[in-house]
Amino acid sequence: KNQVEQSPQSLIILEGKNCTLQCNYTVSPFSNLRWYKQDTGRGPVSLTIMTFSENTKSNGRYTATLDADTKQSSLHITASQLSDSASYICVVSDRGSTLGRLYFGRGTQLTVWP
Amino acid sequence: EADIYQTPRYLVIGTGKKITLECSQTMGHDKMYWYQQDPGMELHLIHYSYGVNSTEKGDLSSESTVSRIRTEHFPLTLESARPSHTSQYLCASSKSDRGNTEAFFGQGTRLTVV
């Protein structure tokens, strides 16, 4: 069964600190993995995309890693800001269908305190 | 900023009413999707479309229906709303590309049926 598991479920950190969010998946055949940021009451917005051959990709203070062998990904946030408070969702796409089906994790709810 | 719009943003209606949630995108995307998301939970695909006159049911059974008469428009209809339909509904669209397709999301409609 294709699944995406994220941890932790929620996380509270102080402004300026770093944090790492985890994503494990069983989706096969694998196409790509995206990290989305979803602010409260809004739709998700893509932060990074990782394909099979990529190990690390950065987008400003966000750095995503992918280990395709162990089917694990992480999202590292550096020097957190209050605006980073949101839900971070790991989304894995398969390549076994025309749709390119998206599989969503439940998200990690990050709260940054001043 | 994604050019995909949902209306209304919030809706509170009585049981038994017929409602239509609107979704429009100006990016010329062929694929469009409807997801349902309960608080703290993952997104579940309820409907999708490959293009005009194409509609399919998603992974999560839903009593709603959709139509795709125009490329840019993908409305979702509930003929008789019930309290169990209370949820957030997110519309998304993407290009017809089996590769690294990014799904762009609307801001969502939060529906409450009383």
Side-chain angles (χ1 to χ4, degrees):
Chain A
K1 182 180 180 183
N2 290 320
Q3 288 185 311
V4 178
E5 302 285 345
Q6 291 188 245
S7 62
Q9 184 175 348
S10 61
L11 182 62
I12 299 173
I13 61 173
L14 294 177
E15 186 178 15
K17 298 297 184 182
N18 304 335
C19 66
T20 300
L21 314 180
Q22 301 290 344
C23 174
N24 297 336
Y25 63 91
T26 60
V27 177
S28 181
F30 174 84
S31 175
N32 61 76
L33 183 150
R34 286 184 184 272
W35 283 93
Y36 280 82
K37 179 186 179 186
Q38 185 177 21
D39 292 313
T40 301
R42 293 184 171 273
V45 175
S46 178
L47 293 174
T48 66
I49 177 174
M50 306 289 291
T51 57
F52 188 86
S53 59
E54 295 175 310
N55 299 118
T56 303
K57 182 172 285 187
S58 293
N59 176 10
R61 294 181 296 103
Y62 301 106
T63 299
T65 66
L66 175 66
D67 185 333
D69 292 329
T70 62
K71 299 187 177 181
Q72 296 179 325
S73 176
S74 67
L75 180 69
H76 185 76
I77 303 175
T78 304
S80 61
Q81 300 175 357
L82 298 179
S83 59
D84 291 334
S85 294
S87 178
Y88 291 83
I89 304 172
C90 178
V91 183
V92 182
S93 179
D94 74 10
R95 55 180 172 82
S97 66
T98 304
L99 180 63
R101 185 63 61 88
L102 302 177
Y103 296 89
F104 290 80
R106 291 189 176 187
T108 291
Q109 184 64 48
L110 175 65
T111 303
V112 180
W113 283 2
Chain B
E1 192 84 11
D3 294 322
I4 179 165
Y5 309 100
Q6 290 185 242
T7 57
R9 288 290 312 280
Y10 304 94
L11 180 61
V12 181
I13 61 167
T15 299
K17 299 292 185 183
K18 177 181 178 180
I19 59 167
T20 296
L21 309 184
E22 301 289 348
C23 176
S24 296
Q25 51 94 7
T26 58
M27 296 175 282
H29 288 168
D30 289 329
K31 293 181 182 175
M32 295 190 74
Y33 318 81
W34 275 103
Y35 291 90
Q36 185 174 340
Q37 184 183 31
D38 292 322
M41 302 296 286
E42 66 266 50
L43 281 72
H44 290 286
L45 181 67
I46 52 175
H47 297 283
Y48 60 94
S49 168
Y50 290 124
V52 172
N53 294 325
S54 152
T55 61
E56 301 287 344
K57 289 191 177 294
D59 304 316
L60 182 67
S61 176
S62 174
E63 294 167 344
S64 58
T65 59
V66 292
S67 63
R68 190 88 183 277
I69 299 173
R70 302 199 316 267
T71 298
E72 62 271 21
H73 197 211
F74 192 39
L76 180 145
T77 298
L78 275 167
E79 291 292 334
S80 179
R82 295 205 300 269
S84 60
H85 296 139
T86 295
S87 188
Q88 170 152 281
Y89 293 85
L90 287 160
C91 179
S93 72
S94 67
K95 292 181 183 178
S96 289
D97 178 4
R98 285 185 70 175
N100 305 326
T101 303
E102 177 179 355
F104 293 88
F105 287 85
Q107 295 202 38
T109 293
R110 182 163 295 283
L111 173 66
T112 303
V113 183
V114 297

